[in-house]
């Protein structure tokens, strides 16, 4: 009797064998799929989760627009007449240019992050959402730094710029522009500034020796040419748009006005085909206004990024909570 019982026991499949393991794996897989559906259904019914997800979708669209806007502002400041690069050459300070590049980089990152945020929201992937929130925080700090540099640059605009304008115009403008890269950049920057700001010379009004008259009285561009060639007396960038360029630059035309006549004892009313006001006052106003705009953009956008970072972390936390409860059930 005992032998038959032993033999019968031997013929039964052992628990944990290949067949039983296959059954257990299928059961666990079925339970896992069921729980995934349950968690998904629970999340869909969670009004807070839906609200966060929809808010992040809308936020990403706005962020994409803002990122493109920042890119546009940065590119415009780099390619416009009298660009950030030319400002750096003229005033010998790279703070404005660095701030512009930081705004440009921030805009590109913001636009790229908007795409990542959309992917993370649609997939409800906590890793992507977490990465999205962290990088938003980093961009926030970069833009704040760029805005701070713009405002700091605005506060540092001083009389030193006037001295730098005089020096570059006297010694470097128009000198060896083919062989000297620095002089070529300074010459191009001066021409761009005078066209953009409608000015001529370093500083002062029409009767000043440092405005339009600075060219024929002090600059190496005019003096080193020799007595045989005194035309032009001012560069073409000083001319009023649409004016007679020969009269503007003083080509053998004697008239009671600049550049042939003056600067001392100019009549109250005179014919002028060139801009007679110096550039210092105008460039100071230009830099003050654009530094304010650049700093305002750099400080305004980060405040909006904080909101997105908070939404992303909240959504990430809810996704993580659901995943954790699922893992605990599997255990």
């Amino acid at each position: 009797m005992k032998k038959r019982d032993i033999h019968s026991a031997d013929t039964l499949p052992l628990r944990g064998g290949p067949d039983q393991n296959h059954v257990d794996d299928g059961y666990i897989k079925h339970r896992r799929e069921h729980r995934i559906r349950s968690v998904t259904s629970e999340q869909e019914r969670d009004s807070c989760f839906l609200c966060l997800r929809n808010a992040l979708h809308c936020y990403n669209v706005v962020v994409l627009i803002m990122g493109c806007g920042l890119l546009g502002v940065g590119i415009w400041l780099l390619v416009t007449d009298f660009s950030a690069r030319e400002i750096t050459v003229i005033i010998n300070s790279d703070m404005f240019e660095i701030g512009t590049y930081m705004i440009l980089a921030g805009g590109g990152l913001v636009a790229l992050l908007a795409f990542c945020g959309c992917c993370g929201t649609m997939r409800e992937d906590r890793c992507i959402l977490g990465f999205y929130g962290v990088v938003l925080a980093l961009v926030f700090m970069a833009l704040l730094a760029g805005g701070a540099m713009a405002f700091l640059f605005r506060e540092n605009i001083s009389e030193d710029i006037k001295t730098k304008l005089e020096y570059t115009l006297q010694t470097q403008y128009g000198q060896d522009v083919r062989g000297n890269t620095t002089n070529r950049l300074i010459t191009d920057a001066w021409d761009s500034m005078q066209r953009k700001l409608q000015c001529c010379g370093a500083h002062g009004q029409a009767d000043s020796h440092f405005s339009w008259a600075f060219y024929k009285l002090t600059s190496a561009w005019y003096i080193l040419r020799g007595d045989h060639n005194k035309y032009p007396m001012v560069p073409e960038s000083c001319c009023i748009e649409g004016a007679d360029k020969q009269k503007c630059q003083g080509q053998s035309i004697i008239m009671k006005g600049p550049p042939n006549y003056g600067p001392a004892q100019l009549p109250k009313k005179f014919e002028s085909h060139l801009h007679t006001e110096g550039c210092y006052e105008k460039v100071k106003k230009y830099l003050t206004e654009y530094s304010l705009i650049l700093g305002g953009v750099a400080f305004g956008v980060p405040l909006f990024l904080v909101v997105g970072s908070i939404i992303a972390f909240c959504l990430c936390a809810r996704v993580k909570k659901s995943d954790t409860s699922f893992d605990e059930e599997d255990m």
Side-chain angles (χ1 to χ4, degrees), residues 46-331:
D46 189 344
S47 59
C48 182
F49 182 86
L50 289 174
C51 182
L52 287 172
R53 188 178 63 181
N54 294 333
L56 195 57
H57 272 306
C58 297
Y59 174 85
N60 285 325
V61 174
V62 178
V63 164
L64 180 61
I65 296 173
M66 293 180 68
C68 293
L70 284 173
L71 279 172
V73 171
I75 292 172
W76 180 78
L77 286 173
L78 290 174
V79 302
T80 187
D81 211 11
F82 195 40
S83 65
R85 174 60 177 160
E86 291 171 331
I87 291 173
T88 296
V89 171
I90 287 288
I91 66 176
N92 196 28
S93 173
D94 56 2
M95 291 180 64
F96 189 85
E97 185 180 8
I98 291 175
T100 301
Y101 279 117
M102 292 184 73
I103 297 299
L104 186 64
L109 280 175
V110 166
L112 180 62
L113 282 174
F115 175 76
C116 293
C118 288
C119 294
T121 307
M122 288 186 294
R123 294 183 58 185
E124 297 174 8
D125 189 316
R126 65 187 184 209
C127 293
I128 296 179
L129 288 171
F131 172 78
Y132 176 73
V134 170
V135 179
L136 271 183
L138 294 176
V139 174
F140 165 81
M141 290 185 286
L143 290 177
L144 279 184
M149 292 189 69
F151 279 114
L152 184 61
F153 174 80
R154 180 174 177 267
E155 295 299 324
N156 288 336
I157 298 174
S158 64
E159 292 289 322
D160 292 341
I161 295 178
K162 186 181 292 187
T163 305
K164 292 171 184 175
L165 291 176
E166 291 179 13
Y167 177 78
T168 56
L169 189 59
Q170 179 180 1
T171 62
Q172 294 177 279
Y173 181 88
Q175 297 302 299
D176 190 23
V177 293
R178 292 185 178 179
N180 191 313
T181 303
T182 302
N183 287 358
R184 182 170 66 251
L185 288 173
I186 288 175
T187 302
D188 291 341
W190 263 102
D191 289 335
S192 296
M193 179 174 64
Q194 290 179 150
R195 283 192 299 265
K196 176 83 172 179
L197 304 183
Q198 298 180 355
C199 58
C200 185
H203 55 84
Q205 301 301 317
D207 58 349
S208 171
H209 287 68
F210 294 91
S211 58
W212 62 270
F214 193 87
Y215 281 102
K216 71 176 186 178
L217 296 177
T218 311
S219 72
W221 169 80
Y222 183 82
I223 294 173
L224 295 181
R225 269 190 257 151
D227 294 336
H228 64 283
N229 186 11
K230 289 302 181 182
Y231 171 84
M233 296 181 180
V234 293
E236 186 177 330
S237 57
C238 284
C239 297
I240 296 173
E241 186 177 358
D244 188 324
K245 292 183 180 178
Q246 290 185 340
K247 290 182 178 180
C248 168
Q249 295 181 286
Q251 185 180 23
S252 65
I253 299 174
I254 303 300
M255 59 181 182
K256 293 293 184 177
N260 301 83
Y261 189 84
Q265 298 178 348
L266 279 174
K268 292 184 179 179
K269 293 184 179 180
F270 55 84
E271 181 184 5
S272 178
H273 296 266
L274 72 149
H275 301 292
T276 56
E277 183 180 354
C279 292
Y280 169 71
E281 292 78 8
K282 291 192 173 185
V283 75
K284 183 177 179 180
K285 182 180 178 181
Y286 177 86
L287 293 178
T288 300
E289 291 177 353
Y290 277 87
S291 296
L292 183 62
I293 294 172
L294 194 63
V297 170
F299 276 121
V301 173
L303 295 178
F304 189 76
L305 295 183
V306 172
V307 178
S309 187
I310 292 173
I311 295 174
F313 284 132
C314 289
L315 188 60
C316 180
R318 296 196 67 84
V319 172
K320 185 176 181 180
K321 182 179 179 180
S322 299
D323 290 346
T324 303
S325 62
F326 167 72
D327 294 337
E328 288 176 351
E329 288 183 9
D330 282 342
M331 295 298 292

Side-chain angles (χ1 to χ4, degrees), residues 12-23:
L12 293 174
L14 294 175
R15 182 174 178 82
D19 295 338
Q20 186 65 36
N21 288 339
H22 179 72
V23 173

